[in-house]
Amino acid sequence: MKPLIEMIYAARKEWGAEESDKSNHARQVIAKVVQDRFPRIDPELAQRKNGESKFQLRVNADTKEKAVPYAALIPPDQDLFGQYGGMSFVLFPASEYGAPALISMVVGTHGLAPDEAILGRPGHARKCAAITAWLNARLPGSAWAKRDPVRVDIDLPKATKSALSPWAGATGQYGKVIYSTFAPPTKRTPETDRVVE
């Protein structure tokens, strides 16, 4: 998990790569962490082999001013580009210098499928709320969860968007589909690293 924490705290410009280089820092770090945790998964994650893939790693490392870069673990049977559906674990680097990446659970902009059964279960929303409460008990005001993850017609509350202003690009573009989010503290300490882990 330590490389992932370092990625979360990496500057936005470090997420990208030279245009001629197909790999990038975010993809390498996340692929390595997932490979260490789930050794049977294809190292590239986006390649599908014999139905074994459990995730697809989608990275938009465009760090230009108006771009919204992200790194996401999404359901495997999706197109390799464009919109995707289902739930995903997403990191959004901050627009502002010095802030860490926003850690979020997101419904793909193409809809709930193939995870509508999971997203619609009350237990999934309760787990997100419990994790949010745990995070807020340790770092007050750092986490938020939507009461019902399937309500992609409801945007983030104004107060939450305001609190997440370092990630205004991400919350502006994906606010309706973010259903649980955590903003790690800007100042790192061993205790905050343990909470992030």
Side-chain angles (χ1 to χ4, degrees), residues 115-161:
D115 297 317
E116 61 268 39
I118 296 167
L119 289 163
R121 285 189 190 130
H124 184 66
R126 282 194 300 267
K127 285 179 187 174
C128 290
I131 292 167
T132 298
W134 182 86
L135 288 166
N136 282 328
R138 280 141 189 85
L139 301 165
S142 64
W144 173 85
K146 196 179 270 190
R147 185 169 288 188
D148 186 357
V150 303
R151 293 295 309 269
V152 294
D153 58 323
I154 299 174
D155 204 351
L156 289 168
K158 287 181 183 177
T160 303
K161 270 194 175 181

Side-chain angles (χ1 to χ4, degrees), residues 6-191:
E6 293 302 322
M7 183 71 244
I8 289 167
Y9 280 96
R12 175 182 165 123
K13 65 180 180 180
E14 294 177 32
W15 282 56
E18 296 297 322
E19 288 185 24
S20 61
D21 185 3
K22 291 186 179 179
S23 65
N24 59 63
H25 185 59
R27 176 175 292 281
Q28 292 168 358
V29 169
I30 294 170
K32 174 76 171 116
V33 169
V34 172
Q35 186 65 32
D36 290 348
R37 175 66 179 89
F38 302 100
R40 289 180 35 199
I41 294 176
D42 186 294
E44 288 297 313
L45 300 170
Q47 295 178 3
R48 301 175 201 138
K49 287 184 177 175
N50 303 326
E52 289 181 24
S53 184
K54 298 198 187 282
F55 305 103
Q56 182 189 136
L57 176 57
R58 177 85 63 91
V59 177
N60 172 1
D62 184 355
T63 56
K64 292 182 186 102
E65 188 177 333
K66 301 230 177 193
V68 181
Y70 64 85
L73 289 174
I74 69 173
D77 297 326
Q78 307 279 331
D79 291 335
L80 299 179
F81 301 98
Q83 290 185 322
Y84 66 86
M87 66 180 186
S88 56
F89 173 80
V90 184
L91 300 176
F92 295 104
S95 306
E96 296 178 8
Y97 179 77
L102 186 67
I103 303 168
S104 302
M105 292 297 295
V106 177
V107 174
T109 55
H110 194 47
L112 305 176
D115 297 317
E116 61 268 39
I118 296 167
L119 289 163
R121 285 189 190 130
H124 184 66
R126 282 194 300 267
K127 285 179 187 174
C128 290
I131 292 167
T132 298
W134 182 86
L135 288 166
N136 282 328
R138 280 141 189 85
L139 301 165
S142 64
W144 173 85
K146 196 179 270 190
R147 185 169 288 188
D148 186 357
V150 303
R151 293 295 309 269
V152 294
D153 58 323
I154 299 174
D155 204 351
L156 289 168
K158 287 181 183 177
T160 303
K161 270 194 175 181
S162 177
L164 299 175
S165 63
W167 304 275
T171 60
Q173 187 163 339
Y174 299 110
K176 289 186 176 184
V177 292
I178 294 172
Y179 67 89
S180 183
T181 194
F182 169 59
T186 301
K187 186 171 181 177
R188 290 180 69 181
T189 65
E191 175 60 28

